[in-house]
Amino acid sequence: MGFFNNIYHKAESYFLKNADERNLRVHAVAKSDGAKSKLLVYESETLQAQTLKDYKTAILMATDPEEPNKSMLWTLYKNLLLDNHLSSVIDSRILFCQRSTIKIVNEAGEENPDLTWLFERTWHEEVIALILRLRTEGVKLFEMYDLNPLTGELETVTEIPMSYFNAKKGIIVKTPGDSTGWPYKEGELANYYVQVGKDDDLGMLAEMAPVVLAKKLGFGSWLDYIEKYGVGNLFITTDREDDERLKELYQAAKNFKSSGFMVGRGQEKFEIKGGDAGNPQNFDLLITRVNDEISKRLLGGSGLTDEKAFVGSAEIQFRLAKDRFESDKMLVKNVYNQHIIPRLIKLSPVYAPLQGHYFEWDNSETQTLDEIIKLVTTLAPYFELDIEEISQKTGLTIIGQKSGTATSEETEIIKKKSVIGK
């Protein structure tokens, strides 16, 4: 990494002490009033139940051809993402990309490890997640502004919530619903903001909302069922006819579920009936069906999320899901090469060496230690192998090759000893 460190420190010094006119001009607009994400008037969030009526209104407002407003749609999406199964399946697609290996290559396809190292940062993981959430949440906009004052590197990225930008007009608005704002598709601000997706893209959540809301309604109905029939109805029989005792029993019956016990006297009798009314499994069947629908929409099938799936079925489902994973990787690659890397080069001299280089996924297969040893054992009798490369792959320090090699007869004896343990 010595070569890179030399370039890195020179770039850092350049950034801090000798910023040229272009960099001063690029930063001037933002420095005058700060990053736009810090000027937005954020509102407190309210977690309230969403209905199909809210869903219809949110879609209507978000698709208005003249003044689209996504405030209600954003509230709806945040409510939908409280569903654990939905969020988990979305995370599966995002995490597949985040844990895939990348490389920065030149026009000849040769990797530059020193430049690849520049992307081993938290902001890189955040950008991948933001890009892929385009699939579910629709058009995304994020800000690449904050630099580390000591290194000159990008410190973090900030998402502009969908209710705070109008993609059709290309503006960031201070308050949801505003008709005017800061243009981010042109001028100096274009160097700091990346839009992913088409202006009118609402994402898959707009199509999946009805079934997810049905699942939430099913959960609510299940809770009502438990409240009414889970414990059963309380019946009290008494031979007392005085109003004072009847009032006491009435009050005790009202508090029964919270207290869990009753105290009677004389011939008073307490019975619980009706706890087995209806079929509570119907609620579970609804939730399972909705979960399957969510998995099919996002992964191509439910085999990867069904705990009872057979191995063969799960393998077929993974092939279907892999097509989606590879499509996601292609999306991320294109966004990086068309938008992220050009902006990084303009953002800071630290990223100047990225000129003429491209983002690529490293699809080379990684081998386990056992696989490497087996491969070496198979090839060693026939080929001269690179000792240094074998040491790097296995993690074992190999000093050199032995002068003599075992004959076929000696090899057979060694194998027999390993089998019988003598």
Side-chain angles (χ1 to χ4, degrees):
M1 302 294 288
F3 173 74
F4 174 74
N5 288 334
N6 187 29
I7 296 179
Y8 180 80
H9 290 304
K10 287 183 178 179
E12 177 183 347
S13 176
Y14 177 88
F15 179 80
L16 296 174
K17 299 178 181 179
N18 301 304
D20 60 18
E21 182 180 352
R22 178 183 62 82
N23 285 309
L24 292 175
R25 176 172 51 80
V26 168
H27 287 277
V29 173
K31 291 298 182 183
S32 63
D33 53 8
K36 302 309 175 188
S37 62
K38 299 175 183 177
L39 301 178
L40 306 182
V41 180
Y42 292 102
E43 301 174 348
S44 58
E45 298 181 3
T46 57
L47 296 178
Q48 59 185 16
Q50 298 291 305
T51 64
L52 282 175
K53 182 179 179 181
D54 296 325
Y55 161 70
K56 294 177 181 178
T57 304
I59 297 296
L60 184 65
M61 294 177 61
T63 56
D64 187 294
E66 297 182 359
E67 293 292 339
N69 187 330
K70 295 184 178 179
S71 300
M72 286 193 66
L73 188 67
W74 184 228
T75 301
L76 172 68
Y77 282 3
K78 286 187 289 185
N79 182 275
L80 297 179
L81 292 172
L82 293 175
D83 183 274
N84 290 328
H85 183 82
L86 174 62
S87 294
S88 175
V89 176
I90 292 174
D91 287 343
S92 296
R93 291 186 60 162
I94 294 174
L95 291 172
F96 186 91
C97 273
Q98 287 182 330
R99 70 181 184 85
S100 298
T101 307
I102 72 162
K103 58 183 178 180
I104 302 300
V105 300
N106 58 20
E107 294 181 354
E110 301 168 336
E111 181 185 5
N112 187 330
D114 293 332
L115 296 183
T116 302
W117 180 79
L118 276 174
F119 292 85
E120 295 177 6
R121 304 290 186 272
T122 303
W123 66 262
H124 168 65
E125 303 291 320
E126 295 173 350
V127 168
I128 290 179
L130 286 170
I131 292 173
L132 294 185
R133 287 194 176 276
L134 158 70
R135 304 287 199 195
T136 53
E137 299 172 16
V139 57
K140 307 295 287 185
L141 179 68
F142 56 92
E143 177 183 81
M144 300 172 59
Y145 171 81
D146 291 321
L147 298 179
N148 187 306
L150 297 178
T151 64
E153 288 189 61
L154 179 64
E155 185 75 21
T156 185
V157 295
T158 304
E159 179 185 4
I160 305 298
M162 67 167 65
S163 56
Y164 285 89
F165 73 94
N166 186 323
K168 288 190 175 181
K169 290 186 175 182
I171 59 173
I172 300 171
V173 297
K174 190 173 184 179
T175 305
D178 288 352
S179 58
T180 59
W182 302 285
Y184 65 84
K185 291 185 178 181
E186 56 188 13
E188 296 292 351
L189 287 183
N191 296 317
Y192 297 95
Y193 295 90
V194 178
Q195 176 181 316
V196 184
K198 298 180 180 179
D199 294 344
D200 56 353
D201 195 344
L202 299 182
M204 285 188 285
L205 287 182
E207 303 164 358
M208 299 166 60
V211 294
V212 180
L213 290 175
K215 178 182 175 182
K216 290 179 177 292
L217 179 62
F219 264 118
S221 300
W222 197 353
L223 293 174
D224 290 340
Y225 175 90
I226 294 172
E227 178 70 20
K228 292 180 179 179
Y229 303 107
V231 178
N233 298 317
L234 176 64
F235 291 84
I236 303 176
T237 304
T238 179
D239 58 353
R240 297 280 297 271
E241 296 183 1
D242 53 296
D243 292 340
E244 183 177 354
R245 181 55 182 166
L246 291 176
K247 289 180 180 178
E248 290 177 353
L249 292 174
Y250 174 77
Q251 191 62 36
K254 287 180 61 177
N255 299 330
F256 169 65
K257 288 186 178 180
S258 60
S259 63
F261 66 94
M262 301 285 287
V263 177
R265 57 191 179 187
Q267 298 298 317
E268 293 172 348
K269 183 171 61 173
F270 306 92
E271 296 178 291
I272 298 176
K273 298 180 180 180
D276 56 351
N279 184 7
Q281 291 184 349
N282 291 332
F283 298 104
D284 216 6
L285 291 173
L286 170 64
I287 293 169
T288 301
R289 175 62 62 87
V290 173
N291 286 345
D292 288 346
E293 293 293 321
I294 292 173
S295 297
K296 289 175 183 177
R297 186 67 180 87
L298 290 169
L299 298 178
S302 59
L304 296 179
T305 56
D306 186 355
E307 60 184 15
K308 297 181 181 179
F310 296 102
V311 175
S313 175
E315 289 177 351
I316 295 173
Q317 293 296 330
F318 179 74
R319 296 194 195 106
L320 295 174
K322 193 173 181 180
D323 291 336
R324 288 160 173 76
F325 296 150
E326 294 300 327
S327 175
D328 290 341
K329 291 172 68 174
M330 181 64 70
L331 172 64
V332 172
K333 171 186 172 181
N334 291 337
V335 171
Y336 262 83
N337 288 329
Q338 295 175 14
H339 302 288
I340 305 296
I341 289 180
R343 281 169 174 77
L344 288 174
I345 295 173
K346 294 179 180 180
L347 190 65
S348 169
V350 171
Y351 299 106
L354 288 173
Q355 189 71 44
H357 288 78
Y358 305 94
F359 179 99
E360 187 61 81
W361 294 103
D362 187 356
N363 294 321
S364 57
E365 295 185 2
T366 57
Q367 297 174 310
T368 64
L369 182 59
D370 289 341
E371 291 173 337
I372 294 173
I373 293 175
K374 184 178 180 180
L375 183 63
V376 171
T377 304
T378 303
L379 297 177
Y382 308 101
F383 304 98
E384 292 288 339
L385 303 179
D386 188 337
I387 295 176
E388 183 178 352
E389 183 178 356
I390 295 174
S391 297
Q392 291 176 352
K393 288 183 176 295
T394 61
L396 302 174
T397 303
I398 302 177
I399 300 175
Q401 187 174 358
K402 286 187 176 181
S403 57
T405 57
T407 63
S408 59
E409 183 178 347
E410 292 172 338
T411 303
E412 193 66 29
I413 294 173
I414 293 172
K415 289 182 178 179
K416 289 181 178 179
K417 285 184 177 180
S418 64
V419 172
I420 63 177
K422 295 182 180 181

PDB file of all heavy atoms in Angstrom, residues 3 27 31 35 53 57 69 95 124 137 168 177 181 212-213 219 228 249 322 335 343-344 368 381 399:
ATOM      1  N   PHE A   3       2.661   2.743  -2.325  1.00  0.00           N
ATOM      2  CA  PHE A   3       2.433   3.632  -3.459  1.00  0.00           C
ATOM      3  C   PHE A   3       1.184   4.469  -3.256  1.00  0.00           C
ATOM      4  O   PHE A   3       1.162   5.672  -3.498  1.00  0.00           O
ATOM      5  CB  PHE A   3       2.310   2.784  -4.735  1.00  0.00           C
ATOM      6  CG  PHE A   3       1.903   3.581  -5.947  1.00  0.00           C
ATOM      7  CD1 PHE A   3       2.790   4.431  -6.575  1.00  0.00           C
ATOM      8  CD2 PHE A   3       0.612   3.486  -6.441  1.00  0.00           C
ATOM      9  CE1 PHE A   3       2.403   5.165  -7.681  1.00  0.00           C
ATOM     10  CE2 PHE A   3       0.220   4.215  -7.536  1.00  0.00           C
ATOM     11  CZ  PHE A   3       1.126   5.055  -8.162  1.00  0.00           C
ATOM     12  N   HIS A  27     -17.154  24.198  -4.146  1.00  0.00           N
ATOM     13  CA  HIS A  27     -17.581  24.222  -2.754  1.00  0.00           C
ATOM     14  C   HIS A  27     -18.281  25.518  -2.370  1.00  0.00           C
ATOM     15  O   HIS A  27     -18.950  25.584  -1.350  1.00  0.00           O
ATOM     16  CB  HIS A  27     -16.380  24.021  -1.823  1.00  0.00           C
ATOM     17  CG  HIS A  27     -15.872  22.616  -1.818  1.00  0.00           C
ATOM     18  ND1 HIS A  27     -16.435  21.626  -1.037  1.00  0.00           N
ATOM     19  CD2 HIS A  27     -14.875  22.026  -2.515  1.00  0.00           C
ATOM     20  CE1 HIS A  27     -15.789  20.493  -1.239  1.00  0.00           C
ATOM     21  NE2 HIS A  27     -14.841  20.708  -2.130  1.00  0.00           N
ATOM     22  N   LYS A  31     -21.017  25.936   0.605  1.00  0.00           N
ATOM     23  CA  LYS A  31     -20.512  26.593   1.802  1.00  0.00           C
ATOM     24  C   LYS A  31     -21.298  27.848   2.137  1.00  0.00           C
ATOM     25  O   LYS A  31     -21.342  28.283   3.277  1.00  0.00           O
ATOM     26  CB  LYS A  31     -19.027  26.944   1.613  1.00  0.00           C
ATOM     27  CG  LYS A  31     -18.099  25.717   1.583  1.00  0.00           C
ATOM     28  CD  LYS A  31     -18.142  24.960   2.879  1.00  0.00           C
ATOM     29  CE  LYS A  31     -17.189  23.776   2.850  1.00  0.00           C
ATOM     30  NZ  LYS A  31     -17.267  22.968   4.072  1.00  0.00           N
ATOM     31  N   ALA A  35     -25.161  22.240   3.293  1.00  0.00           N
ATOM     32  CA  ALA A  35     -25.828  21.176   2.559  1.00  0.00           C
ATOM     33  C   ALA A  35     -27.341  21.327   2.698  1.00  0.00           C
ATOM     34  O   ALA A  35     -27.845  21.677   3.759  1.00  0.00           O
ATOM     35  CB  ALA A  35     -25.368  19.825   3.097  1.00  0.00           C
ATOM     36  N   LYS A  53     -57.963   3.295   2.153  1.00  0.00           N
ATOM     37  CA  LYS A  53     -58.334   4.657   1.764  1.00  0.00           C
ATOM     38  C   LYS A  53     -57.088   5.549   1.767  1.00  0.00           C
ATOM     39  O   LYS A  53     -56.899   6.365   0.856  1.00  0.00           O
ATOM     40  CB  LYS A  53     -59.390   5.207   2.723  1.00  0.00           C
ATOM     41  CG  LYS A  53     -59.865   6.601   2.361  1.00  0.00           C
ATOM     42  CD  LYS A  53     -60.942   7.092   3.333  1.00  0.00           C
ATOM     43  CE  LYS A  53     -61.401   8.509   2.967  1.00  0.00           C
ATOM     44  NZ  LYS A  53     -62.433   8.998   3.911  1.00  0.00           N
ATOM     45  N   THR A  57     -55.362   7.478  -1.509  1.00  0.00           N
ATOM     46  CA  THR A  57     -55.089   8.920  -1.487  1.00  0.00           C
ATOM     47  C   THR A  57     -53.606   9.195  -1.714  1.00  0.00           C
ATOM     48  O   THR A  57     -53.242  10.138  -2.436  1.00  0.00           O
ATOM     49  CB  THR A  57     -55.529   9.521  -0.140  1.00  0.00           C
ATOM     50  OG1 THR A  57     -56.905   9.225   0.100  1.00  0.00           O
ATOM     51  CG2 THR A  57     -55.323  11.028  -0.122  1.00  0.00           C
ATOM     52  N   ASN A  69     -47.097  15.183  -4.750  1.00  0.00           N
ATOM     53  CA  ASN A  69     -46.763  15.309  -3.330  1.00  0.00           C
ATOM     54  C   ASN A  69     -46.678  13.892  -2.742  1.00  0.00           C
ATOM     55  O   ASN A  69     -47.664  13.156  -2.738  1.00  0.00           O
ATOM     56  CB  ASN A  69     -47.833  16.126  -2.601  1.00  0.00           C
ATOM     57  CG  ASN A  69     -47.440  16.425  -1.157  1.00  0.00           C
ATOM     58  OD1 ASN A  69     -46.729  15.646  -0.517  1.00  0.00           O
ATOM     59  ND2 ASN A  69     -47.900  17.550  -0.646  1.00  0.00           N
ATOM     60  N   LEU A  95     -28.297  -6.988   1.238  1.00  0.00           N
ATOM     61  CA  LEU A  95     -27.112  -7.577   1.845  1.00  0.00           C
ATOM     62  C   LEU A  95     -26.323  -8.425   0.855  1.00  0.00           C
ATOM     63  O   LEU A  95     -25.095  -8.531   0.968  1.00  0.00           O
ATOM     64  CB  LEU A  95     -27.512  -8.427   3.060  1.00  0.00           C
ATOM     65  CG  LEU A  95     -28.037  -7.633   4.266  1.00  0.00           C
ATOM     66  CD1 LEU A  95     -28.579  -8.571   5.331  1.00  0.00           C
ATOM     67  CD2 LEU A  95     -26.942  -6.759   4.856  1.00  0.00           C
ATOM     68  N   HIS A 124     -19.908   3.705   1.390  1.00  0.00           N
ATOM     69  CA  HIS A 124     -20.099   2.813   0.243  1.00  0.00           C
ATOM     70  C   HIS A 124     -21.244   1.839   0.510  1.00  0.00           C
ATOM     71  O   HIS A 124     -22.091   1.599  -0.372  1.00  0.00           O
ATOM     72  CB  HIS A 124     -18.795   2.065  -0.023  1.00  0.00           C
ATOM     73  CG  HIS A 124     -18.922   0.929  -0.982  1.00  0.00           C
ATOM     74  ND1 HIS A 124     -19.255   1.103  -2.303  1.00  0.00           N
ATOM     75  CD2 HIS A 124     -18.775  -0.413  -0.801  1.00  0.00           C
ATOM     76  CE1 HIS A 124     -19.297  -0.079  -2.906  1.00  0.00           C
ATOM     77  NE2 HIS A 124     -19.024  -1.013  -2.013  1.00  0.00           N
ATOM     78  N   GLU A 137     -38.957   1.362  -3.051  1.00  0.00           N
ATOM     79  CA  GLU A 137     -39.509   2.643  -2.628  1.00  0.00           C
ATOM     80  C   GLU A 137     -39.603   3.676  -3.746  1.00  0.00           C
ATOM     81  O   GLU A 137     -40.097   4.780  -3.522  1.00  0.00           O
ATOM     82  CB  GLU A 137     -38.670   3.206  -1.474  1.00  0.00           C
ATOM     83  CG  GLU A 137     -38.653   2.296  -0.255  1.00  0.00           C
ATOM     84  CD  GLU A 137     -37.670   2.767   0.804  1.00  0.00           C
ATOM     85  OE1 GLU A 137     -37.236   3.938   0.722  1.00  0.00           O
ATOM     86  OE2 GLU A 137     -37.321   1.978   1.693  1.00  0.00           O
ATOM     87  N   LYS A 168     -39.840  15.459 -10.813  1.00  0.00           N
ATOM     88  CA  LYS A 168     -40.256  15.993 -12.113  1.00  0.00           C
ATOM     89  C   LYS A 168     -39.742  17.406 -12.334  1.00  0.00           C
ATOM     90  O   LYS A 168     -39.327  17.765 -13.432  1.00  0.00           O
ATOM     91  CB  LYS A 168     -41.784  15.954 -12.225  1.00  0.00           C
ATOM     92  CG  LYS A 168     -42.336  14.544 -12.409  1.00  0.00           C
ATOM     93  CD  LYS A 168     -43.814  14.560 -12.747  1.00  0.00           C
ATOM     94  CE  LYS A 168     -44.305  13.156 -13.048  1.00  0.00           C
ATOM     95  NZ  LYS A 168     -45.742  13.125 -13.419  1.00  0.00           N
ATOM     96  N   GLY A 177     -44.589  19.593   0.088  1.00  0.00           N
ATOM     97  CA  GLY A 177     -45.692  20.272  -0.575  1.00  0.00           C
ATOM     98  C   GLY A 177     -45.326  21.593  -1.212  1.00  0.00           C
ATOM     99  O   GLY A 177     -46.130  22.157  -1.956  1.00  0.00           O
ATOM    100  N   GLY A 181     -38.119  25.392  -4.916  1.00  0.00           N
ATOM    101  CA  GLY A 181     -37.022  24.888  -4.097  1.00  0.00           C
ATOM    102  C   GLY A 181     -35.692  25.061  -4.798  1.00  0.00           C
ATOM    103  O   GLY A 181     -35.543  25.888  -5.711  1.00  0.00           O
ATOM    104  N   VAL A 212     -50.008  -6.175   2.109  1.00  0.00           N
ATOM    105  CA  VAL A 212     -49.350  -5.925   3.395  1.00  0.00           C
ATOM    106  C   VAL A 212     -50.340  -5.313   4.386  1.00  0.00           C
ATOM    107  O   VAL A 212     -50.357  -5.666   5.570  1.00  0.00           O
ATOM    108  CB  VAL A 212     -48.119  -5.008   3.219  1.00  0.00           C
ATOM    109  CG1 VAL A 212     -47.443  -4.753   4.577  1.00  0.00           C
ATOM    110  CG2 VAL A 212     -47.113  -5.638   2.263  1.00  0.00           C
ATOM    111  N   LEU A 213     -51.190  -4.405   3.889  1.00  0.00           N
ATOM    112  CA  LEU A 213     -52.211  -3.824   4.755  1.00  0.00           C
ATOM    113  C   LEU A 213     -53.216  -4.893   5.198  1.00  0.00           C
ATOM    114  O   LEU A 213     -53.709  -4.858   6.331  1.00  0.00           O
ATOM    115  CB  LEU A 213     -52.933  -2.686   4.029  1.00  0.00           C
ATOM    116  CG  LEU A 213     -52.110  -1.417   3.782  1.00  0.00           C
ATOM    117  CD1 LEU A 213     -52.913  -0.419   2.952  1.00  0.00           C
ATOM    118  CD2 LEU A 213     -51.675  -0.785   5.092  1.00  0.00           C
ATOM    119  N   PHE A 219     -53.582  -9.246  11.623  1.00  0.00           N
ATOM    120  CA  PHE A 219     -52.968  -9.234  12.944  1.00  0.00           C
ATOM    121  C   PHE A 219     -53.881  -8.537  13.956  1.00  0.00           C
ATOM    122  O   PHE A 219     -54.067  -9.003  15.084  1.00  0.00           O
ATOM    123  CB  PHE A 219     -51.611  -8.524  12.901  1.00  0.00           C
ATOM    124  CG  PHE A 219     -50.447  -9.456  12.754  1.00  0.00           C
ATOM    125  CD1 PHE A 219     -49.616  -9.389  11.653  1.00  0.00           C
ATOM    126  CD2 PHE A 219     -50.176 -10.401  13.728  1.00  0.00           C
ATOM    127  CE1 PHE A 219     -48.536 -10.246  11.516  1.00  0.00           C
ATOM    128  CE2 PHE A 219     -49.114 -11.269  13.611  1.00  0.00           C
ATOM    129  CZ  PHE A 219     -48.282 -11.194  12.495  1.00  0.00           C
ATOM    130  N   LYS A 228     -61.315 -11.386  22.915  1.00  0.00           N
ATOM    131  CA  LYS A 228     -62.695 -11.817  23.133  1.00  0.00           C
ATOM    132  C   LYS A 228     -62.805 -13.289  23.511  1.00  0.00           C
ATOM    133  O   LYS A 228     -63.602 -13.676  24.366  1.00  0.00           O
ATOM    134  CB  LYS A 228     -63.531 -11.554  21.874  1.00  0.00           C
ATOM    135  CG  LYS A 228     -63.743 -10.079  21.586  1.00  0.00           C
ATOM    136  CD  LYS A 228     -64.579  -9.896  20.325  1.00  0.00           C
ATOM    137  CE  LYS A 228     -64.810  -8.420  20.044  1.00  0.00           C
ATOM    138  NZ  LYS A 228     -65.613  -8.214  18.812  1.00  0.00           N
ATOM    139  N   LEU A 249     -69.969  -8.058  42.420  1.00  0.00           N
ATOM    140  CA  LEU A 249     -69.648  -9.102  41.452  1.00  0.00           C
ATOM    141  C   LEU A 249     -69.493  -8.537  40.042  1.00  0.00           C
ATOM    142  O   LEU A 249     -68.643  -8.981  39.258  1.00  0.00           O
ATOM    143  CB  LEU A 249     -70.739 -10.178  41.476  1.00  0.00           C
ATOM    144  CG  LEU A 249     -70.817 -11.033  42.748  1.00  0.00           C
ATOM    145  CD1 LEU A 249     -72.030 -11.952  42.693  1.00  0.00           C
ATOM    146  CD2 LEU A 249     -69.537 -11.835  42.934  1.00  0.00           C
ATOM    147  N   LYS A 322     -31.359 -15.485  -7.649  1.00  0.00           N
ATOM    148  CA  LYS A 322     -30.048 -15.018  -8.095  1.00  0.00           C
ATOM    149  C   LYS A 322     -30.154 -14.108  -9.314  1.00  0.00           C
ATOM    150  O   LYS A 322     -29.346 -13.181  -9.486  1.00  0.00           O
ATOM    151  CB  LYS A 322     -29.138 -16.209  -8.403  1.00  0.00           C
ATOM    152  CG  LYS A 322     -27.674 -15.814  -8.571  1.00  0.00           C
ATOM    153  CD  LYS A 322     -26.774 -17.023  -8.710  1.00  0.00           C
ATOM    154  CE  LYS A 322     -25.315 -16.577  -8.847  1.00  0.00           C
ATOM    155  NZ  LYS A 322     -24.402 -17.734  -8.997  1.00  0.00           N
ATOM    156  N   VAL A 335     -24.845   2.750 -11.820  1.00  0.00           N
ATOM    157  CA  VAL A 335     -24.973   4.009 -11.081  1.00  0.00           C
ATOM    158  C   VAL A 335     -23.597   4.510 -10.653  1.00  0.00           C
ATOM    159  O   VAL A 335     -23.302   5.714 -10.745  1.00  0.00           O
ATOM    160  CB  VAL A 335     -25.896   3.832  -9.861  1.00  0.00           C
ATOM    161  CG1 VAL A 335     -25.856   5.074  -8.976  1.00  0.00           C
ATOM    162  CG2 VAL A 335     -27.325   3.567 -10.311  1.00  0.00           C
ATOM    163  N   ARG A 343     -18.746  12.116  -9.737  1.00  0.00           N
ATOM    164  CA  ARG A 343     -18.940  13.114  -8.683  1.00  0.00           C
ATOM    165  C   ARG A 343     -17.816  13.058  -7.650  1.00  0.00           C
ATOM    166  O   ARG A 343     -17.417  14.093  -7.105  1.00  0.00           O
ATOM    167  CB  ARG A 343     -20.304  12.915  -8.016  1.00  0.00           C
ATOM    168  CG  ARG A 343     -21.451  13.486  -8.834  1.00  0.00           C
ATOM    169  CD  ARG A 343     -22.793  13.036  -8.299  1.00  0.00           C
ATOM    170  NE  ARG A 343     -23.909  13.684  -8.980  1.00  0.00           N
ATOM    171  CZ  ARG A 343     -24.358  13.364 -10.168  1.00  0.00           C
ATOM    172  NH1 ARG A 343     -23.776  12.387 -10.856  1.00  0.00           N
ATOM    173  NH2 ARG A 343     -25.384  14.015 -10.712  1.00  0.00           N
ATOM    174  N   LEU A 344     -17.323  11.865  -7.364  1.00  0.00           N
ATOM    175  CA  LEU A 344     -16.210  11.745  -6.427  1.00  0.00           C
ATOM    176  C   LEU A 344     -14.976  12.476  -6.964  1.00  0.00           C
ATOM    177  O   LEU A 344     -14.266  13.143  -6.199  1.00  0.00           O
ATOM    178  CB  LEU A 344     -15.870  10.271  -6.183  1.00  0.00           C
ATOM    179  CG  LEU A 344     -16.861   9.462  -5.335  1.00  0.00           C
ATOM    180  CD1 LEU A 344     -16.461   7.995  -5.310  1.00  0.00           C
ATOM    181  CD2 LEU A 344     -16.934  10.015  -3.912  1.00  0.00           C
ATOM    182  N   THR A 368     -12.351 -22.464  -0.210  1.00  0.00           N
ATOM    183  CA  THR A 368     -12.055 -22.751   1.191  1.00  0.00           C
ATOM    184  C   THR A 368     -10.650 -23.328   1.294  1.00  0.00           C
ATOM    185  O   THR A 368     -10.047 -23.757   0.295  1.00  0.00           O
ATOM    186  CB  THR A 368     -13.071 -23.745   1.766  1.00  0.00           C
ATOM    187  OG1 THR A 368     -12.935 -24.997   1.074  1.00  0.00           O
ATOM    188  CG2 THR A 368     -14.495 -23.230   1.611  1.00  0.00           C
ATOM    189  N   PRO A 381       2.000 -33.277  -8.128  1.00  0.00           N
ATOM    190  CA  PRO A 381       2.824 -34.320  -8.776  1.00  0.00           C
ATOM    191  C   PRO A 381       3.114 -34.048 -10.251  1.00  0.00           C
ATOM    192  O   PRO A 381       4.018 -34.658 -10.819  1.00  0.00           O
ATOM    193  CB  PRO A 381       1.965 -35.589  -8.614  1.00  0.00           C
ATOM    194  CG  PRO A 381       1.046 -35.300  -7.483  1.00  0.00           C
ATOM    195  CD  PRO A 381       0.746 -33.836  -7.605  1.00  0.00           C
ATOM    196  N   ILE A 399       8.711 -22.601   3.346  1.00  0.00           N
ATOM    197  CA  ILE A 399      10.099 -22.163   3.166  1.00  0.00           C
ATOM    198  C   ILE A 399      10.623 -22.571   1.802  1.00  0.00           C
ATOM    199  O   ILE A 399      11.311 -21.817   1.119  1.00  0.00           O
ATOM    200  CB  ILE A 399      10.990 -22.756   4.286  1.00  0.00           C
ATOM    201  CG1 ILE A 399      10.467 -22.277   5.650  1.00  0.00           C
ATOM    202  CG2 ILE A 399      12.445 -22.356   4.087  1.00  0.00           C
ATOM    203  CD1 ILE A 399      11.197 -22.892   6.817  1.00  0.00           C
TER     204      ILE A 399
END
